[in-house]
């Protein structure tokens, strides 16, 4: 019985290949996927000049920063993620864990395969830090626009931001299907406003377009080597959300995502960044010094700033919603793949599998976000903490890309090496620049990442040890069936014993015959098997074998994005001794209690963490959608 969960998204439809469907999906992606990177103009350019390491507001520095933003977006987002990594789909799905599953399938025989797995798990762990910081910095940066409208609003910024953020998390349990229908139109308006504001400034000061030449980025380093290096820590804020593009590929498809990015989102973002640079170049020194404190909102004239603040606030609300949904999605994947214990999963839509809600993740994120807002007080302080989670995940994805190119796509190493080296230099430079910020807040996502990594790897290791210990003393089912057929009274009905392994007799069956001295007419040993692909062909869902004397071995196969609904799966079993009538079927579950071992398989502190996770995991009855009045739990003790 593999501890697994519900789907994050439905499989991409076959209609992806049609232009009409592709266009609709591209529009949908604008509303859901690009919110994080789309709200970066609120703070990325500002932080580069007015952050902890301020730069001179002259042409050389402005053109250098704008050039860095342009080439960062081109290299990291457009080439690394949208062009290369989006080709690395695992049956249509993307993201660090899906990439790890894809790689593991190809290099499973390699003794170094575990390194790729750990890298993917750590990238996933860093995402949780990102999902805490993104709502806080996005909403704060938008609400801070009120101070541009009127200085007297400053004391209301934090209270308004907190109210919006709490409201955001409270509505999660109601689902986002209806609100989601408004996401795309609002974000399209938002991106069009970005482009319009930027274009107007570029028309006023067209010399900013010289920043398209990479020489200005190089010249920035020639002028101020150390300051330029530190500036990378803020420039990278312009590409936050790039990993999300890859993770959400399964929902919209590679083609629509690329169409949205190259055809609409990227041009709008670049026009706005170039516009912010043009505005600073075109203003007198004193006005430029004032505008750089919040250049995004200074792009608009006085009468349009309040509407711009309101639009930006809605956009950041949508961006935060997308990140929270992403946290739910990636948690589902991790549970399915055995890195997180069973969690209470709620579906908020009867038709859309992707509409899910995980209470423990939701409330943990809310508490973390509130603490972040109250601790850091403003978006500039949060910016120091933001970059390291993003650059850490991007750097790990680059390392995984190296394994992908050589181990999966079978590139010659002399072809792969220059590509990987280029991205390692770029991503490594961004990561190194953000390491300088660790004392100023960069420690937060690292701590969150290390805690999450410890929990994920401890659960995976503990489950592996527990299965090994149980299999050591397992009795072969064929032998048990022959010996048990005449030693117990057979009673009417079907008994289904859930088992984590396809070998041996589950402890619940042994305890049942030992204490109750009865066997049902039909005894089914059922294992839930999770494949390293997102979806399993329905034709391959069920595996059944008749062991004789009323004993059956059955396996239900699921992908790591699918919902493990056992009663629904049993309906697909046409053989195995007849149909399953839920009113005459009992489910027997094993509940393990851990005991101290003379030779522990992992340090005692990790054993205690695993025991705590095991005690607090969701009920298998709810997790596998079993009928509440047809379940019997039998306990057993296991040493790990």
């Amino acid at each position: 019985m593999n501890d697994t969960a519900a789907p994050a998204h439905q499989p991409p439809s076959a209609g992806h290949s049609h232009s009409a469907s592709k266009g609709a999906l591209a529009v949908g992606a604008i509303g859901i996927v690009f919110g994080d990177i789309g709200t970066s103009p609120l703070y990325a350019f500002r932080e580069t000049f007015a952050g902890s390491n301020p730069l001179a507001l002259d042409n050389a520095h402005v053109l250098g920063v704008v050039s860095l933003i342009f080439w960062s977006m081109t290299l990291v987002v457009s080439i690394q993620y949208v062009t290369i990594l989006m080709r690395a789909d695992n049956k249509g799905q993307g993201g660090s864990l899906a990439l790890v599953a894809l790689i593991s399938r190809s290099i499973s025989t390699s003794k170094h395969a575990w390194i790729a797995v750990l890298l993917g798990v750590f990238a996933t762990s860093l995402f949780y830090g990102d999902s805490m910081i993104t709502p806080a910095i996005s909403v704060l940066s938008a609400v801070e626009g009120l101070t541009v409208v009127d200085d007297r609003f400053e004391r209301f910024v934090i209270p308004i931001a907190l109210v919006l953020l709490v409201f955001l998390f409270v509505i999660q349990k109601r689902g986002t299907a209806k609100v989601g229908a408004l996401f795309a139109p609002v974000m399209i308006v938002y991106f069009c406003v970005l482009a319009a504001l930027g274009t107007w400034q570029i028309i006023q000061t067209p010399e900013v377009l010289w920043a398209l030449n990479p020489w200005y980025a190089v010249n920035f380093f020639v002028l101020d080597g150390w300051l330029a290096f530190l500036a990378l820590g803020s420039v990278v804020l312009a590409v936050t959300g790039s990993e999300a593009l890859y993770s959400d590929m399964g929902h919209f498809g590679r083609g629509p995502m690329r169409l949205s990015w190259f055809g609409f989102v990227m041009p709008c973002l670049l026009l706005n960044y170039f516009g912010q640079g043009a505005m600073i170049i075109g203003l007198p020194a004193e006005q430029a010094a004032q505008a750089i404190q919040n250049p995004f909102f200074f792009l608009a004239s006085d009468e349009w700033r309040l509407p711009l603040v309101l639009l930006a606030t809605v956009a950041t609300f949508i961006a935060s919603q997308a990140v929270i949904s992403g946290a739910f999605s990636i948690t589902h994947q991790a549970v399915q793949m055995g890195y997180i214990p069973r969690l209470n999963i709620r579906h908020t839509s009867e038709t859309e599998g992707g509409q899910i809600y995980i209470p423990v993740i939701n409330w943990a994120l809310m508490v973390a976000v509130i603490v972040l807002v109250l601790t850091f007080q403003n978006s500039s302080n949060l910016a120091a903490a933001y970059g390291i989670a993003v650059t850490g995940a991007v750097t790990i994805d680059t390392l995984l890309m190296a394994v992908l190119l050589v181990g999966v796509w079978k590139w010659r190493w002399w072809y792969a090496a220059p590509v990987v080296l280029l991205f390692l230099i770029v991503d490594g430079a961004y990561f190194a620049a953000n390491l300088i910020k660790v004392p100023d807040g960069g420690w937060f996502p690292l701590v969150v990442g290390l805690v999450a990594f410890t929990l994920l790897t401890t659960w995976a290791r503990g489950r592996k040890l527990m299965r090994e210990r149980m299999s050591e003393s397992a009795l072969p089912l064929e032998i048990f069936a022959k010996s048990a057929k005449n030693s117990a009274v057979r009673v009417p009905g079907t008994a289904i014993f859930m088992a984590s392994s396809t070998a041996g007799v589950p402890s619940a069956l042994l305890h049942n015959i030992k204490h109750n001295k009865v066997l049902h007419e039909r005894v089914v040993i059922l294992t839930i098997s999770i494949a390293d692909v997102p979806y399993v062909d329905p034709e391959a869902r069920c595996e059944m074998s008749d062991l004789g004397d009323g004993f059956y071995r059955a396996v239900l196969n699921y992908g790591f994005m699918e919902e493990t609904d056992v009663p629904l799966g049993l309906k697909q079993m046409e053989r195995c001794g007849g149909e399953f009538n839920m009113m005459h079927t009992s489910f027997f579950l094993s509940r393990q209690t851990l005991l101290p071992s003379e030779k522990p398989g992992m340090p005692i502190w990790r054993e205690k963490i695993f025991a705590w996770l095991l005690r607090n995991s969701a009920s298998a009855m709810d997790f596998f959608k079993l009928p509440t009045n047809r379940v019997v739990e039998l306990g057993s003790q296991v040493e790990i």
Side-chain angles (χ1 to χ4, degrees), residues 392-462:
V394 170
T395 304
I396 290 173
D397 283 345
T398 303
L399 295 173
L400 292 175
M401 186 176 73
V403 182
L404 172 79
L405 297 179
V406 178
V408 181
W409 292 348
K410 306 302 181 183
W411 284 26
R412 301 288 186 182
W413 71 265
W414 54 85
Y415 291 148
V419 176
V420 173
L421 188 60
L422 170 64
F423 289 117
L424 272 182
I425 291 173
V426 174
D427 299 335
Y430 285 132
F431 182 64
N434 275 279
L435 284 176
I436 308 296
K437 298 181 179 181
V438 169
D440 299 321
W443 55 268
F444 178 81
L446 289 179
V447 169
V448 171
L450 287 172
V451 169
F453 181 76
T454 301
L455 293 177
L456 267 61
T457 53
T458 297
W459 178 255
R461 175 64 177 164

Side-chain angles (χ1 to χ4, degrees), residues 23 25 39 74 96 136 158 192 199 210 253 445 494 585 613-614 619 634:
L25 287 167
T39 53
T74 300
S96 296
I158 291 179
C192 287
T199 301
W210 285 111
T494 298
T585 300
L613 292 172
L614 188 64
S619 165
L634 297 171

Side-chain angles (χ1 to χ4, degrees), residues 329-483:
S329 174
I330 204 166
T331 300
H332 281 160
Q333 283 195 43
V335 172
Q336 288 279 51
M337 296 176 75
Y339 292 106
I340 293 179
R342 293 187 302 262
L343 295 174
N344 181 15
I345 310 293
R346 299 181 190 175
H347 289 262
T348 57
S349 171
E350 295 181 357
T351 57
E352 295 293 330
Q355 294 292 326
I356 46 99
Y357 168 65
I358 309 178
V360 66
I361 298 296
N362 187 67
W363 301 124
L365 289 178
M366 187 187 78
V367 171
V369 167
I370 291 173
V371 171
L372 281 170
V373 171
L374 294 176
T375 303
F376 287 87
Q377 294 289 306
N378 60 62
S379 58
S380 290
N381 292 337
L382 274 168
Y386 197 20
I388 200 159
V390 176
T391 55
V394 170
T395 304
I396 290 173
D397 283 345
T398 303
L399 295 173
L400 292 175
M401 186 176 73
V403 182
L404 172 79
L405 297 179
V406 178
V408 181
W409 292 348
K410 306 302 181 183
W411 284 26
R412 301 288 186 182
W413 71 265
W414 54 85
Y415 291 148
V419 176
V420 173
L421 188 60
L422 170 64
F423 289 117
L424 272 182
I425 291 173
V426 174
D427 299 335
Y430 285 132
F431 182 64
N434 275 279
L435 284 176
I436 308 296
K437 298 181 179 181
V438 169
D440 299 321
W443 55 268
F444 178 81
L446 289 179
V447 169
V448 171
L450 287 172
V451 169
F453 181 76
T454 301
L455 293 177
L456 267 61
T457 53
T458 297
W459 178 255
R461 175 64 177 164
R463 286 179 69 251
K464 182 175 183 292
L465 289 171
M466 194 163 66
R467 288 196 301 268
E468 289 175 353
R469 298 293 187 269
M470 293 172 69
S471 63
E472 288 173 0
S473 57
L475 180 68
L477 183 58
E478 293 78 4
I479 296 176
F480 174 83
K482 291 179 181 179
S483 62

Side-chain angles (χ1 to χ4, degrees), residues 41-64:
L42 273 70
Y43 47 80
F45 187 80
R46 178 196 71 199
E47 288 305 310
T48 309
F49 284 93
S52 55
N53 299 286
L55 299 173
L57 296 176
D58 55 31
N59 283 22
H61 288 89
V62 172
L63 291 176

